Amino acid sequence: MPIVVNVDVMLARRKMRLNTLAELVGITAQNLSVLKTGRAKAIRFSTLERLCDVLECEPGDLLAYEREPTAVLASVEAED
Amino acid sequence: MRPKDEVRLAKIRKISWVLGAICSLFMLACLIAFILSMTGPIFRHGRYWGKGILWQGYNGVEFKVYSLTARERVIVAISLVLEYGAAFFCGLQLFRLLRFYSRGEIFTADSARQLRLWGFACVAWGIVKVGWFLLPLAIADSRHYQRVDIGSTVFVGLGIVALSWIMEMAVEIREENELTV
């Protein structure tokens, strides 16, 4: 999936454990694991807000967009 | 899961278990009825064999049992196998579906597929009922002795199949909801 979730990077920076973060954010560790491993299909704004609040960061620190190689090739072909 | 939903799920599981038990009794009743039919006067020579004009009725169709030919008895035997077999099969599919529900597996791909199977089983049973209704056309000494419901099972089955498609969509929505953090 092009959207990459960098929760583990922020966890390492804040030296926090997954279970602790889950407890502070108010979601289950299983749900947070789903987010961390990139299996999540969507994230609620309320969850994102709480994550940013607990990890003291911006949404851009947690979410990144990595365009897939096939998508890059298609856009280059379209420009030609 | 919210506490209200957990209570509701527990109720569904309990009711599904009870209905599953009733389903088991239905299947057992089908089996017993089949055995009684196959060992009844149509196929067994009793002490009054060849005497009188005994009419024996099964599922809305009566037979003049002592005057049936061998070919007609074979037709009735096959029809009884199909009739009770289809009913048993329908009960079995419902039992399997209720077993999913009793385990709390309501919106899953397997339960949606099982719901569709039950629908097709109902359609098959309805078609077999139509065949049973037409039996007097193939057998000389037979008649209808009560009104036979021939169409509703087919339509109910088709409705259940349509419901299974909706359940499959619900499964996709549930999976997407579960993966929403």
Side-chain angles (χ1 to χ4, degrees):
Chain A
M1 193 185 236
I3 300 290
V4 176
V5 182
N6 296 318
V7 167
D8 46 353
V9 171
M10 291 310 301
L11 276 172
R13 277 189 197 166
R14 300 288 180 257
K15 296 182 178 55
M16 196 184 287
R17 290 174 62 192
L18 190 79
N19 289 340
T20 311
L21 178 62
E23 204 180 310
L24 290 170
V25 169
I27 60 176
T28 61
Q30 189 185 10
N31 263 2
L32 196 55
S33 176
V34 163
L35 185 66
K36 182 169 155 294
T37 53
R39 285 185 294 130
K41 292 206 169 173
I43 182 168
R44 295 186 184 90
F45 281 148
S46 56
T47 308
L48 185 59
E49 182 190 332
R50 287 198 296 270
L51 278 169
C52 291
D53 189 36
V54 170
L55 293 170
E56 294 174 358
C57 63
E58 297 291 318
D61 297 326
L62 289 171
L63 304 172
Y65 175 64
E66 288 177 7
R67 188 177 285 190
E68 285 168 351
T70 50
V72 171
L73 198 60
S75 66
V76 166
E77 283 175 359
E79 280 171 17
D80 290 343
Chain B
M1 199 182 281
R2 293 178 296 182
K4 194 172 67 169
D5 292 337
E6 281 187 13
V7 167
R8 203 183 297 171
L9 182 62
K11 204 185 289 185
I12 289 170
R13 289 178 68 170
K14 207 181 294 183
I15 290 171
S16 298
W17 188 90
V18 170
L19 290 174
I22 293 171
C23 219
S24 307
L25 292 175
F26 170 76
M27 288 192 287
L28 185 63
C30 284
L31 203 59
I32 292 170
F34 173 70
I35 290 168
L36 288 175
S37 303
M38 295 304 277
T39 56
I42 288 183
F43 305 103
R44 187 177 54 86
H45 290 189
R47 55 187 176 143
Y48 298 110
W49 184 259
K51 300 174 188 174
I53 49 165
L54 175 69
W55 286 89
Q56 189 77 18
Y58 303 89
N59 300 332
V61 178
E62 267 185 331
F63 303 95
K64 201 171 171 184
V65 294
Y66 297 139
S67 60
L68 292 176
T69 64
R71 176 186 152 273
E72 286 170 342
R73 285 176 212 281
V74 168
I75 291 172
V76 173
I78 291 169
S79 301
L80 280 172
V81 166
L82 287 174
E83 171 80 16
Y84 287 112
F88 184 88
F89 184 68
C90 195
L92 181 65
Q93 298 311 316
L94 178 58
F95 176 77
R96 284 181 176 167
L97 177 67
L98 289 168
R99 202 167 55 181
F100 278 118
Y101 292 166
S102 66
R103 290 200 294 250
E105 296 169 25
I106 298 168
F107 293 109
T108 63
D110 287 338
S111 67
R113 187 172 49 245
Q114 188 57 48
L115 183 66
R116 189 165 56 249
L117 277 177
W118 180 42
F120 284 132
C122 289
V123 170
W125 189 16
I127 292 170
V128 166
K129 274 187 178 181
V130 171
W132 183 260
F133 177 74
L134 298 173
L135 208 54
L137 297 176
I139 294 173
D141 290 312
S142 64
R143 64 189 180 193
H144 297 115
Y145 68 89
Q146 67 184 41
R147 284 186 62 184
V148 177
D149 177 22
I150 59 171
S152 64
T153 313
V154 173
F155 291 115
V156 165
L158 291 173
I160 290 168
V161 169
L163 266 173
S164 75
W165 296 334
I166 296 168
M167 281 292 277
E168 279 176 345
M169 280 187 67
V171 167
E172 283 176 20
I173 291 170
R174 185 197 66 94
E175 282 175 358
E176 194 145 323
N177 190 42
E178 277 195 348
L179 292 175
T180 296
V181 179

